[in-house]
Amino acid sequence: MRTTGVRGLAALIGSTVIAGGVLLAPAAAAAAEQVVLSKGHTDAVDVHYDDGELSLKVHDDTVSPSVSRDPADVTFQVLPEAAITVPDDPRFAFLGPTGSQVWLLPLTQDPDLLWPGWNTTELSSGVFTGDQVKISLVDVDGPGDLFVFTQDSFGSPLMKFRSDDGLPDALDVPAHTHAHANWAFTAEGNYTLTFQADATLVGGGAVSTGPVEYSFVVGELSTGPDTVLSISGMADEEYQPGDTVTLQAVQTPQTDLDHYHWFSRCPGSDDFVIISGEVGEEYSFTATRELNACEYQVKLYDENHSVVATSEAVWLWVAFPPVDPAASQTITASIDPAQGALVISVDPDDRSVVLPPAQLSAGGDRWESTGSLRPVTVTDTRAGTPGWSASGQLPEDFVSAGGATFSAGYLGWTPQVVSQSNGQGVVAGPVVEPYVVGVGGGLGASAVLGSAPSGAGRGTATLSANLQLHLPTETVPDTYTATLTLTAI
């Protein structure tokens, strides 16, 4: 094991390596295969743009000829020999206390270690604004922190990415760049690094790879059977508010490990958040309407607090609170025919809205689709011109032919006044955003499409709305329908 001091550290990370120009294009891999890269040169974050799509690949130069691989097929190993001692130098205090250990893949190549970098030499000039792309470190999931840095001519660190002070970190990289840096990990164990590349096309429009996960192992590879973690106990049907939900972590095969952490992610949140105090194999809580459409995940840890296994997420569905008939009222309204009428209507031959197939959002955190409400006509012939308000609501959730559902609240709208009679003062209703936890929203509750004040409602107005649908990424693929109820009072 290495115990490098200040001079040894400086020798390992002496200077920045950035090469301009074009590398030889890596050959395509003959077939997908799972590989472990532990020694030699590789461009771990290799940016490509083909057929209008930006993508991240791995340029594996440890074989001859070199090949291009999918990051999902690669495990990057930081060998135990990469361990060094943090020097007594305040410039490197971010690595940890003096004398503690970190595992360092150095800026300059060591033939006995992995030499990862990033590469944009496959990108053509004149495609992206400024001839550059933005490479971001979006997330680091592991037992320690990651620091990726170069050094100036005086040996002082120049940080590129670091996980200890909040992510994402972004780096603007010109096309035709091939670069290396120091990769320092503060603990042994399994890490998942999530990178993303984004760019703006010269002709307009943004392109993104979306988040791409990279697997790193610091230290020895596990030789035992993989432990698969799952969650049992979540009911397929809806819970009623007040029901007890009991989730159980299940190991396959069973091990002696018993240290867990439970996580949740609710609509409106991009990331899973740790549930404080829940470290056992069982997690119980009370279902509330506010928790509807939340996801739950559990992770298993070893004695070094390294993640051994992560479960797939499970979804919680909570019904609307039941209505107590004893606390309800029946409202009957009538209109004197002699005084005219207030009528809301739609063309019977133009009453179906078919939203385009949902697409993944730029952030990769949800499905999105937009469309337009078909014209809604409100005619007021009442002599008293009391004004009116037209509203819409989805009283039931969306349902597919296969019985899958999602909440009506995931649909929102931006109302519009298409036309109105002379003398009317019709205004569009407020924007209703799709449902967000803790904020609310969505058309699961009644929302105003348009209104006219007293004295300015008589005549005929045509209303519409732009529709916005935001769905969790785990929504079951299918075709869903729901009925929008329109009322005018």
Side-chain angles (χ1 to χ4, degrees):
M1 180 175 293
R2 303 181 181 186
T3 55
T4 308
V6 178
R7 295 185 61 186
L9 180 65
L12 282 173
I13 53 179
S15 61
T16 304
V17 178
I18 300 179
V22 180
L23 298 177
L24 292 177
E33 56 177 337
Q34 295 292 324
V35 299
V36 176
L37 304 183
S38 60
K39 293 183 180 181
H41 173 261
T42 176
D43 294 318
V45 184
D46 190 20
V47 187
H48 288 249
Y49 182 69
D50 301 296
D51 299 325
E53 291 189 3
L54 199 64
S55 62
L56 292 183
K57 300 180 181 179
V58 175
H59 174 207
D60 180 5
D61 203 26
T62 68
V63 294
S64 183
S66 61
V67 296
S68 185
R69 302 186 187 275
D70 188 325
D73 299 329
V74 179
T75 297
F76 300 90
Q77 185 183 11
V78 184
L79 293 171
E81 291 78 9
I84 66 169
T85 299
V86 176
D88 186 9
D89 185 333
R91 296 177 300 173
F92 296 97
F94 62 88
L95 293 174
T98 299
S100 63
Q101 279 194 330
V102 295
W103 287 258
L104 181 81
L105 298 178
L107 171 67
T108 54
Q109 186 170 17
D110 182 331
D112 294 325
L113 297 174
L114 190 65
W115 195 34
W118 53 88
N119 181 40
T120 61
T121 60
E122 294 297 310
L123 301 180
S124 300
S125 299
V127 176
F128 304 118
T129 301
D131 268 343
Q132 66 181 17
V133 297
K134 179 173 68 175
I135 298 177
S136 300
L137 178 63
V138 177
D139 186 52
V140 173
D141 184 6
D145 289 312
L146 167 68
F147 301 93
V148 180
F149 61 99
T150 58
Q151 286 178 272
D152 62 19
S153 58
F154 299 100
S156 297
L158 302 173
M159 197 64 63
K160 305 300 180 183
F161 306 109
R162 62 188 300 170
S163 67
D164 68 330
D165 63 352
L167 293 173
D169 285 346
L171 181 66
D172 289 326
V173 181
H176 311 302
T177 295
H178 173 229
H180 286 270
N182 310 289
W183 299 60
F185 297 82
T186 61
E188 290 184 293
N190 299 328
Y191 292 75
T192 299
L193 313 185
T194 303
F195 284 96
Q196 177 171 315
D198 298 274
T200 302
L201 297 171
V202 169
V207 289
S208 175
T209 63
V212 179
E213 293 186 346
Y214 287 73
S215 296
F216 277 71
V217 176
V218 179
E220 297 290 355
L221 291 173
S222 173
T223 56
D226 291 337
T227 299
V228 177
L229 195 61
S230 60
I231 297 175
S232 67
M234 183 69 80
D236 293 331
E237 65 275 4
E238 288 184 327
Y239 289 87
Q240 295 298 320
D243 286 350
T244 298
V245 182
T246 300
L247 305 180
Q248 188 82 20
V250 179
Q251 301 179 30
T252 306
Q254 185 65 40
T255 72
D256 293 332
L257 300 176
D258 59 0
H259 183 190
Y260 301 87
H261 280 299
W262 290 85
F263 299 80
S264 66
R265 179 172 66 186
C266 293
S269 175
D270 295 331
D271 302 310
F272 278 94
V273 177
I274 193 168
I275 301 171
S276 178
E278 297 297 336
V279 296
E281 64 179 349
E282 185 176 284
Y283 170 45
S284 293
F285 59 96
T286 301
T288 64
R289 182 61 194 170
E290 289 73 21
L291 295 178
N292 182 58
C294 290
E295 301 169 77
Y296 295 88
Q297 186 181 71
V298 65
K299 296 184 180 183
L300 177 66
Y301 297 80
D302 62 17
E303 59 276 4
N304 296 318
H305 204 71
S306 298
V307 177
V308 174
T310 301
S311 75
E312 295 289 338
V314 296
W315 288 77
L316 173 70
W317 301 106
V318 183
F320 284 99
V323 176
D324 182 1
S328 64
Q329 298 182 12
T330 300
I331 300 175
T332 303
S334 62
I335 299 174
D336 183 351
Q339 297 300 314
L342 175 64
V343 178
I344 184 168
S345 63
V346 295
D347 184 343
D349 296 323
D350 188 19
R351 60 191 306 164
S352 296
V353 179
V354 179
L355 299 178
Q359 302 293 318
L360 198 62
S361 67
D365 61 335
R366 66 190 181 202
W367 294 106
E368 295 182 344
S369 183
T370 60
S372 295
L373 188 68
R374 308 312 304 148
V376 177
T377 301
V378 180
T379 300
D380 187 4
T381 59
R382 296 172 295 176
T385 61
W388 51 264
S389 177
S391 302
Q393 180 181 8
L394 293 167
E396 302 290 341
D397 287 344
F398 283 80
V399 181
S400 73
T405 65
F406 64 79
S407 172
Y410 288 132
L411 183 69
W413 70 10
T414 301
Q416 300 172 335
V417 178
V418 179
S419 65
Q420 56 182 303
S421 300
N422 290 334
Q424 279 190 301
V426 181
V427 295
V431 174
V432 177
E433 299 288 350
Y435 176 76
V436 175
V437 172
V439 178
L443 297 179
S446 180
V448 175
L449 179 61
S451 62
S454 176
R458 188 177 177 88
T460 298
T462 302
L463 308 175
S464 184
N466 292 328
L467 303 175
Q468 305 96 36
L469 182 67
H470 293 174
L471 295 174
T473 55
E474 290 77 7
T475 303
V476 176
D478 210 334
T479 300
Y480 296 76
T481 58
T483 300
L484 177 70
T485 301
L486 296 164
T487 58
I489 57 174

